[in-house]
Amino acid sequence: MKSLLEVKNINKSFGKKQVLHNVSFTINEGEILGFIGPNGAGKTTTIKLILGLQSIDSGEVIINGYDVKKDFNKAMTSVGAIVESPDLYMYLTGRQNLKLIANYYKGIKEEDINKIIKLVGLEKRIDDKVSKYSLGMRQRLGIAAALLPKPNVLILDEPTNGLDPEGIKEMRELLVKLAKEDKIAILISSHNLSELESFVTNTCIIQNGKVIKSTSVKELKKLNETTFKIDLNTSKGISKLLGKKVKIIDDDSIEVYVEKDEITGIITKLIENKYQIYQVVMEEMTLEDAFISVTGGNKID
Amino acid sequence: MISLVKNEMYKILHKKAIYVVAIIALAGALLMSILDKSITNSFVDLNTMLYEEQLKTCVDIGEPIDIQHCAHAKAGLEQINFIKEKKIVNESKEMYVVRNDLYDAQLEYYTLIYSKADESAIEASKKKVDEAIELINNYDAVKYINTKMEEAKAEQVEACSDPNSNECIAANDDIVAIQYRIDNNIPYSYNDASSSLDSYSSIHAKYLDVRDKNDKFLNYNEIIDKRNSEATYKTAKYMLDNKILTNDYKDYSSGSELVDGFKTLSFFVILIIIMLSATNVADEFNKGTIKQLLVKPFSRTKILVSKLIAVFAVSVIFMFIIEIGINVIAGLVNGDIHTIIGKQVIFNYHTHEAMYMNTIVLSLYAALLSLPRIILLELFIFTMSVITTNAAFALGLGFGAYISEEVFAIFMKKFPFLSYSPTLNYQFNDFAFGAISPYKDIFLTKSIIVSVVSFVVLLTVSIIVFNKKDIKNQ
Ligand SMILES: Nc1ncnc2c1ncn2[C@@H]1O[C@H](COP(=O)(O)OP(=O)(O)OP(=O)(O)O)[C@@H](O)[C@H]1O
Ligand SMILES: [Mg+2]
């Protein structure tokens, strides 16, 4: 698989405050990376560094094989992006905004513009001034603007902001289709993990400017400790036996936090030590739980 | 790059503010020309008040009165009463007689009265006044010219006892001018041709007076004076020699408002330049759209330069719209479009010759010479706007620069370093056709160097700052 976007050990400080520490990740063609972190984690800053909007202190960003620092123009030829919010000219109509963007690239035809307008469902309002759009409509136009240059790297900073559930669903389907059919690499940031859970292929979790977990969604869930609730005859001596991984609920039930494949070993250990096991229940963990367990909650510091 | 410039122009031209300014400029021009018309009508009333006010100080017998002053006021008032009574209009030939012969006679008459001269002198003077009135009542243009010719010939005889004297040359010129009137049927009046002929001989005398003075011994104002008198004389002579002066000739000052417009630039043109330059970059930063722009596959330098070009191009377009529009409107209101399509005589200081030029060509030339001012004003404001990304701040500095054109000129004498200010050096119309600046410390080479250096410095600074700029969160 070809990697379309590589972020390698980038660092960024504002004055004395270092906001990014050796952030690295890679997105291959056809992958959708959920870039997840609480407010102030450094998502937008990372995206700005990728897009050359802010200078990189150290490290490098490679898009389509080109270093953003050295070969900016080549690196940006097939990138579509929304940073923070869709940046549109309010005094122009939606169509005029798209035409302006089309002018920056070679070979975008009138029909391409119309196709994109249809794709984001703005046909009816496209000739209205953007100042008359709702936030969700602006977000849709922003996505259209990002897709217009036919990018193979798409970078979206909190694009669901302002979209209604229907809009979110449509966007999801659109992104999945783009990744699958056009082999686009997509970076999508959010602090709302549940929104991304169902469709991203990979996640990168960032907190306080550090990537704390970077893995495929499947692995994230697997890798993370799962909660098993075990009912047994007595909980006496369990702590000694299992150590930190256990929490005593009451006299005859406990919770253990382990990775899935460790549970057999635990059960074997309990049986070897003459405990009687009545029931083992696995509490399925959502990505959200995983996120919280990894980041330790939504603390901003 | 072309597509970038096109996009930038597209954005600018879709904003309303610029059209509002243009419409205000044109509406203002319309209003001014209408007001102008009605003000000329009330000229008489205004002067009446002035003279009456002056006369109040002339009745107190106890104090010694200013005879000159009072006679002037009284004669002026009489003249106005006469104009009102006889309903003499500005453009008429009689008006000339009223304001020359009648006024002169009355001035003499009232001077005698105020100075309490003896009865017989006053009586003789009164007669002259009556003669002047008689002349107006039975006005005959041909007879009037002939009388003037006779007077001039008598003058010539007297002045040319020394044929090389300046007086003699002036007297000869007088006859040339009057002969020109006869040959070309230009009666004495207040049209531009007649006025030019009127001053022809006096200009020549003045020119001869200063012609041979060495510049080394003249101060700067005297040098300017010398150059001006040469220009005025040679221009007038050229017009006579080439029979350009006809009854519908418009002279330089009233015939070239369009050219003057392109030289000085209307405030509204300046306003558009300042407004566009201050907001163009700053607005994109404040609204966040700069992010969208900077992630396009173009270097920041190209993006900034295309913005500069676009603002410059739109400024120039609106300069033409406003300057031509103002003159077309004024021309339509006054029923005279000579100001736009006529020709005019200008003096070339390089060749020391006058030449006849089309107003349109001259306007384009003036517009061309205004470009350094537009470019440097724009670039200065642009640079400030890039550094601060604050439109209001850049706007304020822009107006500051504009005002400094006048203010620095005043303080230049006291603080000579101000003569290096770009705002005093970007006025290249001052040097058109080899002319010199009204200010001693401003000259062409210096202006070119100052302008080029400030252009390069401002452009470099703005490009460097723009390239280094981190795009902040909103
Ligand atoms: N221009 C700046 N000057 C100083 N600090 C900044 C600047 N821009 C961002 N920061 C800091 O960098 C950190 C990361 O900010 P960033 O905007 O990247 O967070 P984020 O992950 O996008 O958050 P959110 O979910 O709220 O959008 C924050 O602590 C922020 O205060
Ligand atoms: Mg953010």
Side-chain angles (χ1 to χ4, degrees):
Chain A
M1 262 199 295
K2 225 172 90 193
S3 58
L4 300 184
L5 171 64
E6 290 172 70
V7 175
K8 297 182 187 165
N9 292 312
I10 54 172
N11 289 287
K12 177 75 180 173
S13 302
F14 291 110
K16 277 186 186 160
K17 188 179 173 202
Q18 185 164 1
V19 293
L20 294 182
H21 306 259
N22 289 318
V23 171
S24 302
F25 54 81
T26 300
I27 312 180
N28 298 320
E29 53 182 21
E31 284 182 355
I32 305 177
L33 178 74
F35 192 40
I36 300 147
N39 292 132
K43 304 182 293 292
T44 301
T45 305
T46 305
I47 287 173
K48 282 183 173 168
L49 260 51
I50 293 173
L51 294 169
L53 291 173
Q54 292 182 345
S55 60
I56 302 171
D57 291 352
S58 69
E60 55 186 16
V61 173
I62 312 284
I63 302 177
N64 279 308
Y66 296 108
D67 188 322
V68 168
K69 264 198 242 175
K70 292 176 198 137
D71 264 325
F72 181 79
N73 295 1
K74 282 182 184 155
M76 299 310 282
T77 28
S78 39
V79 174
I82 297 181
V83 187
E84 285 175 306
S85 57
D87 305 307
L88 304 154
Y89 297 101
M90 296 298 217
Y91 53 90
L92 299 177
T93 68
R95 189 186 297 280
Q96 287 170 333
N97 266 286
L98 294 179
K99 272 190 182 155
L100 278 182
I101 290 165
N103 287 344
Y104 291 115
Y105 302 91
K106 289 192 189 83
I108 299 180
K109 295 186 221 88
E110 189 74 37
E111 64 203 64
D112 296 324
I113 296 179
N114 288 330
K115 227 157 77 189
I116 295 275
I117 294 169
K118 219 166 165 188
L119 197 66
V120 297
L122 273 177
E123 302 99 309
K124 278 188 192 148
R125 300 290 302 273
I126 197 66
D127 290 312
D128 286 359
K129 286 236 164 81
V130 176
S131 55
K132 292 180 186 162
Y133 282 14
S134 70
L135 180 59
M137 288 161 71
R138 264 181 256 159
Q139 205 63 260
R140 283 164 191 255
L141 187 61
I143 292 167
L147 289 176
L148 197 57
K150 298 172 188 152
N152 64 7
V153 173
L154 185 62
I155 296 174
L156 305 172
D157 191 12
E158 318 221 8
T160 50
N161 192 5
L163 288 181
D164 52 21
E166 185 63 22
I168 293 177
K169 192 170 153 260
E170 283 171 23
M171 194 193 70
R172 253 182 231 160
E173 286 164 3
L174 176 63
L175 294 182
V176 168
K177 188 171 144 255
L178 286 168
K180 266 202 182 128
E181 292 176 8
D182 301 334
K183 296 276 168 239
I184 288 183
I186 301 174
L187 172 68
I188 176 165
S189 89
S190 179
H191 51 260
N192 189 351
L193 189 74
S194 54
E195 223 171 60
L196 305 184
E197 186 172 17
S198 62
F199 73 101
V200 296
T201 58
N202 298 290
T203 57
C204 175
I205 296 173
I206 183 170
Q207 192 184 26
N208 298 330
K210 292 185 188 114
V211 173
I212 48 177
K213 206 118 215 167
S214 192
T215 166
S216 77
V217 169
K218 273 186 216 150
E219 273 172 56
L220 177 69
K221 286 195 193 174
K222 200 171 74 193
L223 274 175
N224 274 288
E225 294 159 341
T226 311
T227 308
F228 292 90
K229 190 164 181 273
I230 303 173
D231 293 347
L232 63 185
N233 56 342
T234 170
S235 56
K236 259 188 196 155
I238 294 269
S239 299
K240 235 182 207 166
L241 187 66
L242 297 178
K244 280 181 184 169
K245 291 172 182 173
V246 71
K247 185 177 166 197
I248 313 290
I249 307 283
D250 51 40
D251 283 350
D252 51 8
S253 70
I254 57 167
E255 269 181 4
V256 287
Y257 311 105
V258 290
E259 285 168 21
K260 269 181 194 166
D261 44 8
E262 284 178 75
I263 192 67
T264 347
I266 302 254
I267 291 168
T268 316
K269 227 180 197 172
L270 288 174
I271 292 168
E272 278 169 3
N273 286 283
K274 307 274 187 292
Y275 286 101
Q276 288 179 21
I277 298 171
Y278 306 128
Q279 180 172 257
V280 180
V281 181
M282 186 179 85
E283 294 186 339
E284 184 83 55
M285 200 184 199
T286 63
L287 206 49
E288 193 81 47
D289 301 325
F291 173 62
I292 290 167
S293 84
V294 172
T295 62
N298 266 342
K299 271 183 289 163
I300 300 171
D301 43 20
Chain B
M1 183 81 178
I2 292 168
S3 61
L4 282 180
V5 176
K6 267 199 209 155
N7 266 9
E8 291 302 328
M9 285 184 68
Y10 186 90
K11 286 189 274 184
I12 297 171
L13 292 174
H14 275 79
K15 281 187 180 164
K16 280 196 204 102
I18 185 170
Y19 298 100
V20 173
V21 174
I23 288 169
I24 291 175
L26 298 181
L30 183 66
L31 197 73
M32 287 298 276
S33 20
I34 292 170
L35 278 179
D36 220 28
K37 259 195 140 176
S38 52
I39 282 175
T40 15
N41 292 340
S42 65
F43 163 78
V44 167
D45 301 325
L46 210 70
N47 275 309
T48 309
M49 270 163 52
L50 201 76
Y51 290 141
E52 278 170 351
E53 203 55 41
Q54 287 178 358
L55 269 182
K56 277 186 190 160
T57 61
C58 298
V59 288
D60 196 340
I61 312 294
E63 305 262 317
I65 55 169
D66 182 343
I67 293 168
Q68 283 284 321
H69 179 84
C70 294
H72 165 72
K74 188 70 183 156
L77 203 59
E78 286 295 310
Q79 169 194 321
I80 283 171
N81 287 338
F82 188 84
I83 291 169
K84 273 199 214 159
E85 189 187 316
K86 299 270 155 121
K87 297 197 171 60
I88 293 172
V89 293
N90 241 342
E91 298 79 24
S92 70
K93 300 176 192 87
E94 285 87 342
M95 184 61 114
Y96 185 88
V97 189
V98 174
R99 283 174 63 179
N100 287 281
D101 301 50
L102 179 59
Y103 173 78
D104 288 347
Q106 273 172 335
L107 186 63
E108 189 191 302
Y109 174 66
Y110 286 109
T111 309
L112 292 176
I113 289 193
Y114 281 120
S115 54
K116 301 196 171 74
D118 58 72
E119 286 291 320
S120 61
I122 292 177
E123 200 56 40
S125 179
K126 179 84 180 88
K127 222 173 169 187
K128 275 192 192 164
V129 173
D130 290 340
E131 272 169 29
I133 293 173
E134 186 59 24
L135 189 64
I136 296 159
N137 286 339
N138 304 304
Y139 182 73
D140 178 348
V142 177
K143 210 172 126 197
Y144 189 73
I145 290 185
N146 288 338
T147 321
K148 289 277 179 188
M149 186 58 128
E150 278 160 30
E151 281 170 23
K153 279 186 174 157
E155 179 78 22
Q156 189 189 32
V157 172
E158 198 175 309
C160 289
S161 53
D162 172 6
N164 292 323
S165 70
N166 288 348
E167 289 77 23
C168 177
I169 292 167
N172 289 340
D173 272 338
D174 246 350
I175 291 174
V176 170
I178 297 169
Q179 191 57 46
Y180 188 91
R181 286 182 188 273
I182 296 170
D183 296 345
N184 296 283
N185 189 24
I186 300 176
Y188 284 91
S189 74
Y190 280 108
N191 73 20
D192 288 342
S194 178
S195 304
S196 296
L197 287 169
D198 240 9
S199 53
Y200 175 64
S201 53
S202 55
I203 295 162
H204 197 181
K206 189 175 177 200
Y207 170 52
L208 290 173
D209 224 32
V210 294
R211 186 178 59 176
D212 297 324
K213 283 188 184 157
N214 192 328
D215 281 4
K216 266 190 238 162
F217 304 117
L218 299 178
N219 68 30
Y220 196 72
N221 284 336
E222 286 167 342
I223 292 174
I224 289 190
D225 217 36
K226 179 180 161 185
R227 292 166 62 95
N228 283 349
S229 64
E230 181 192 359
T232 324
Y233 169 67
K234 288 192 172 169
T235 309
K237 181 158 169 46
Y238 180 88
M239 290 194 290
L240 252 67
D241 291 349
N242 292 281
K243 303 220 181 311
I244 290 164
L245 290 176
T246 60
N247 279 317
D248 47 33
Y249 166 77
K250 293 286 173 191
D251 91 348
Y252 190 74
S253 52
S254 66
S256 64
E257 270 147 29
L258 183 62
V259 182
D260 284 347
F262 279 109
K263 275 184 192 170
T264 54
L265 297 183
S266 133
F267 173 72
F268 292 99
V269 176
I270 302 285
L271 184 64
I272 283 180
I273 296 169
I274 294 179
M275 203 176 73
L276 290 182
S277 315
T279 55
N280 190 288
V281 172
D283 270 5
E284 297 240 28
F285 272 95
N286 297 333
K287 306 237 162 81
T289 47
I290 193 77
K291 284 178 280 170
Q292 223 12 276
L293 196 55
L294 294 184
V295 301
K296 300 292 181 280
F298 296 95
S299 72
R300 289 196 182 185
T301 305
K302 270 193 181 171
I303 289 174
L304 188 74
V305 171
S306 56
K307 278 179 161 299
L308 272 166
I309 294 174
V311 169
F312 174 68
V314 175
S315 301
V316 171
I317 292 171
F318 274 81
M319 168 181 77
F320 278 100
I321 292 177
I322 292 177
E323 296 303 347
I324 294 176
I326 286 174
N327 280 281
V328 167
I329 287 172
L332 292 179
V333 172
N334 299 325
D336 170 20
I337 51 167
H338 261 89
T339 49
I340 306 143
I341 56 165
K343 279 183 158 188
Q344 55 191 262
V345 181
I346 55 114
F347 185 70
N348 189 330
Y349 290 94
H350 292 304
T351 60
H352 292 273
E353 272 168 22
M355 50 188 188
Y356 206 23
M357 277 185 83
N358 198 304
T359 303
I360 304 275
V361 176
L362 269 178
S363 301
L364 287 176
Y365 186 55
L368 192 72
L369 292 180
S370 280
L371 296 187
R373 183 168 172 221
I374 298 180
I375 293 173
L376 285 177
L377 257 182
E378 176 198 338
L379 191 53
F380 169 69
I381 301 163
F382 226 88
T383 308
M384 294 305 135
S385 166
V386 167
I387 293 173
T388 63
T389 65
N390 183 329
F393 183 72
L395 211 71
L397 284 180
F399 281 111
Y402 173 60
I403 291 166
S404 80
E405 292 174 4
E406 308 260 318
V407 176
F408 287 2
I410 294 169
F411 288 106
M412 194 169 24
K413 262 199 182 140
K414 218 170 175 189
F415 307 104
F417 65 90
L418 287 179
S419 71
Y420 290 92
S421 160
T423 56
L424 288 178
N425 281 286
Y426 58 35
Q427 317 256 18
F428 284 87
N429 266 301
D430 287 353
F431 305 113
F433 300 107
I436 56 175
S437 159
Y439 310 112
K440 185 169 148 247
D441 291 333
I442 308 281
F443 45 91
L444 185 59
T445 333
K446 183 175 180 178
S447 284
I448 291 175
I449 293 172
V450 169
S451 296
V452 169
V453 168
S454 37
F455 177 80
V456 171
V457 168
L458 287 171
L459 189 64
T460 313
V461 168
S462 62
I463 287 176
I464 291 175
V465 172
F466 192 66
N467 270 293
K468 290 243 157 92
K469 202 130 206 143
D470 270 0
I471 309 305
K472 300 261 157 59
N473 299 348
Q474 280 138 305

